[in-house]
Amino acid sequence: MTRILRTPDERFAHLPGYGFAPRYLTIDDRRFGPLRMHRVDERPADAPVALMLHGEPTWSFLYRKMIRPVVAAGYRVVAPDHVGFGRSDKIADRTAYTYQGFVDWLKQLIEALDLRRITLVCQDWGGPIGLRALSEMADRFDAVLATNTLLPNYEPPPNGVDGWPGPIIEAWAKTCRESDDLPVAEIVAGVSANRPDAAIMAAYDAPFPDASHKAAALAITGLIPIRADMPGLSENRKAWQVLERFDRPFLTAFSDGDPSTKAWERVFRERVPGARGQPVVEIAGAGHFVQEEKGEELARVLIDLLRRTYR
């Protein structure tokens, strides 16, 4: 029987700059039964929603510098932890995780909370998961802020990225595939322009008391479609067909220090109608996890997008 693990609450006590009340939702999985999914959910409840999606191997702690300013500006923030990450339940078997599973879990959360007037904020794997969800429930989404993310389609330019997936992503996928454990905080530090301090590093490690809790972190990179025969590729191409008709605001704000995703910025800007006429934003002095290093700046970009969308 597959074990469902739950990180002890005490590991989340006194995290620097976080301190948000935990909120949980039970979602139903046809394979594993009920799974508890955590989110930060800061209100006003009737305001437009900034749905902030983390990637690998982070969790909603990544968005702590953005949540309060966006709420103070009058918007609701929902920042979930994907199943297998953060305070959400963790399935101990890495083969239990699928790309479609992550999309379906997110869609269940959106439907259960009846989120509408959503601005999707996505980075890293938050993009492949969130943009797929958007493509299947587009009427709930009003805007997108994409930063250091991608939606793999294995198509040649201009519809895709030349040389995809490239040596960085191929090496990372190989590392995860062949490993039984991951040094989560060191991974965050390794792709940052500046190394986080010890307390921040400890917070990124907090959800993972030991390797048994890291099945999702080990599995998720291997699910990204980096070959033409991989599951999820046809669904991603269908999602691109929706994005090619998405004429609501779509803003890219990539950092200047993330070679693994930078090329996708052009694809989004050229293929998504809603990106036309949007400002060209580049976040200087940040690596892959731009929310960690330049969260306050990215929050200002998001607030400006929200105000323009809902003026």
Side-chain angles (χ1 to χ4, degrees), residues 47-311:
V49 180
L51 178 62
M52 300 183 177
L53 299 185
H54 72 86
E56 146 79 347
T58 59
W59 59 294
S60 55
F61 178 80
L62 179 70
Y63 282 102
R64 69 196 183 282
K65 298 177 184 178
M66 298 180 64
I67 294 169
R68 289 188 178 90
V70 174
V71 171
Y75 303 99
R76 180 180 176 184
V77 171
V78 176
D81 295 334
H82 300 301
V83 172
F85 295 88
R87 300 185 78 141
S88 292
D89 281 352
K90 298 165 182 69
I91 307 167
D93 180 1
R94 63 194 290 175
T95 66
Y97 295 96
T98 65
Y99 185 0
Q100 188 63 50
F102 283 108
V103 175
D104 290 343
W105 291 327
L106 175 63
K107 288 174 60 181
Q108 276 202 56
L109 179 137
I110 291 170
E111 290 171 343
L113 299 178
D114 195 23
L115 300 182
R116 299 180 185 274
R117 295 192 296 165
I118 300 170
T119 292
L120 173 64
V121 184
C122 55
Q123 182 261 349
D124 191 85
W125 257 96
I129 296 170
L131 292 169
R132 279 276 306 280
L134 178 153
S135 74
E136 296 174 24
M137 45 192 358
D139 60 315
R140 293 178 180 263
F141 289 82
D142 288 343
V144 175
L145 173 59
T147 176
N148 292 3
T149 193
L150 68 169
L151 184 60
N153 54 14
Y154 220 85
E155 296 177 282
N159 285 352
V161 170
D162 190 26
W164 168 258
I168 295 174
I169 290 179
E170 286 182 334
W172 176 228
K174 183 175 185 291
T175 295
C176 291
R177 185 171 60 249
E178 296 177 355
S179 300
D180 295 320
D181 198 355
L182 285 177
V184 169
E186 289 296 337
I187 291 165
V188 174
V191 290
S192 298
N194 299 284
R195 184 179 179 85
D197 67 29
I200 301 301
M201 296 275 282
Y204 282 112
D205 280 331
F208 309 110
D210 54 46
S212 69
H213 289 69
K214 299 179 186 179
L218 286 160
I220 194 169
T221 299
L223 304 178
I224 196 167
I226 60 174
R227 298 191 315 272
D229 61 346
M230 288 187 66
L233 185 62
S234 62
E235 291 83 356
N236 279 10
R237 290 177 174 174
K238 290 177 184 176
W240 272 111
Q241 292 174 8
V242 174
L243 290 174
E244 287 180 324
R245 302 189 300 272
F246 190 84
D247 59 3
R248 283 151 273 173
F250 192 110
L251 179 64
T252 59
F254 282 54
S255 73
D256 63 353
D258 183 37
S260 63
T261 63
K262 186 67 170 176
W264 287 95
E265 180 182 29
R266 174 197 58 80
V267 181
F268 287 124
R269 292 190 63 84
E270 293 182 2
R271 288 190 71 176
V272 183
R276 294 167 194 154
Q278 293 295 323
V280 178
V281 177
E282 183 176 77
I283 308 295
H288 182 59
F289 295 105
V290 60
Q291 308 96 310
E292 175 60 45
E293 298 191 275
K294 297 289 181 177
E296 298 90 347
E297 182 176 345
L298 193 61
R300 291 192 291 271
V301 172
L302 174 58
I303 291 167
D304 178 68
L305 173 63
L306 289 164
R307 287 173 174 164
R308 289 188 285 111
T309 301
Y310 297 105
R311 60 188 171 194

